């Protein structure tokens, strides 16, 4: 692994596809409202697929901590949205992935000092969430 001193931007998908045995694969949009209604087994699978989507960007990285997270929501359309619903779920999934890949030792308040949400930025071609990991050294 390599210890990273500079800021790192992690690009996260707004949704993941889950394979199904007898029906077409299903798309799950990642936000707090949807997560509330997922069966716990489905929720676990979504989290695993999300983590795999971040593997290439996170595996082998070690952040000098404490860190700060800056999350930006790039929307696909101008429809009104609640960025907290979207970004809070992405923060949770991404922080858990960072711990699992060994980037940070834990996702508690001693390691992640703060989170800053901003969004509403339109990007029809490439909707996403970007998480900037800012190292507080």
């Amino acid at each position: 692994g390599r210890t990273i001193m500079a800021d790192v931007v992690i690009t996260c998908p707004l949704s993941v596809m889950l394979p199904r045995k007898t029906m077409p694969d299903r798309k799950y949009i990642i936000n707090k409202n949807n997560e509330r209604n997922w069966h716990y087994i489905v929720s676990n699978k979504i989290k695993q697929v999300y983590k795999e989507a971040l593997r290439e960007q996170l595996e082998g990285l070690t952040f000098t901590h404490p860190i700060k997270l800056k999350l930006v929501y790039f929307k696909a359309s101008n429809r009104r949205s609640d960025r907290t619903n979207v970004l809070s779920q992405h923060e949770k999934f991404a922080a858990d992935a960072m711990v699992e890949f060994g980037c940070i030792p834990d996702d508690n308040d001693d390691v992640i000092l703060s989170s800053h949400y901003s969004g509403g930025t339109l990007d029809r071609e490439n909707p996403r969430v970007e998480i900037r990991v800012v190292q507080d050294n």
Side-chain angles (χ1 to χ4, degrees), residues 78-118:
N78 271 325
R79 283 181 51 200
R80 240 187 332 197
S81 64
D82 179 345
R83 77 171 161 262
T84 309
N85 267 338
V86 175
L87 296 178
S88 63
Q89 195 63 45
H90 282 270
E91 179 182 6
K92 181 71 187 133
F93 280 4
D96 287 348
M98 283 188 244
V99 171
E100 284 192 51
F101 288 127
C103 304
I104 53 176
D106 199 339
D107 58 357
N108 65 31
D109 291 346
D110 293 334
V111 177
I112 300 175
L113 292 181
S114 66
S115 312
H116 179 265
Y117 292 175
S118 60

Side-chain angles (χ1 to χ4, degrees), residues 51-98:
K51 183 182 83 172
E52 282 308 310
L54 301 186
R55 178 183 292 276
E56 208 172 281
Q57 299 175 75
L58 292 176
E59 206 167 41
L61 293 184
T62 307
F63 297 118
T64 55
H65 52 83
I67 60 173
K68 295 176 181 170
L69 300 179
K70 293 185 176 180
L71 295 89
V72 183
Y73 177 28
F74 293 87
K75 306 188 309 182
S77 77
N78 271 325
R79 283 181 51 200
R80 240 187 332 197
S81 64
D82 179 345
R83 77 171 161 262
T84 309
N85 267 338
V86 175
L87 296 178
S88 63
Q89 195 63 45
H90 282 270
E91 179 182 6
K92 181 71 187 133
F93 280 4
D96 287 348
M98 283 188 244

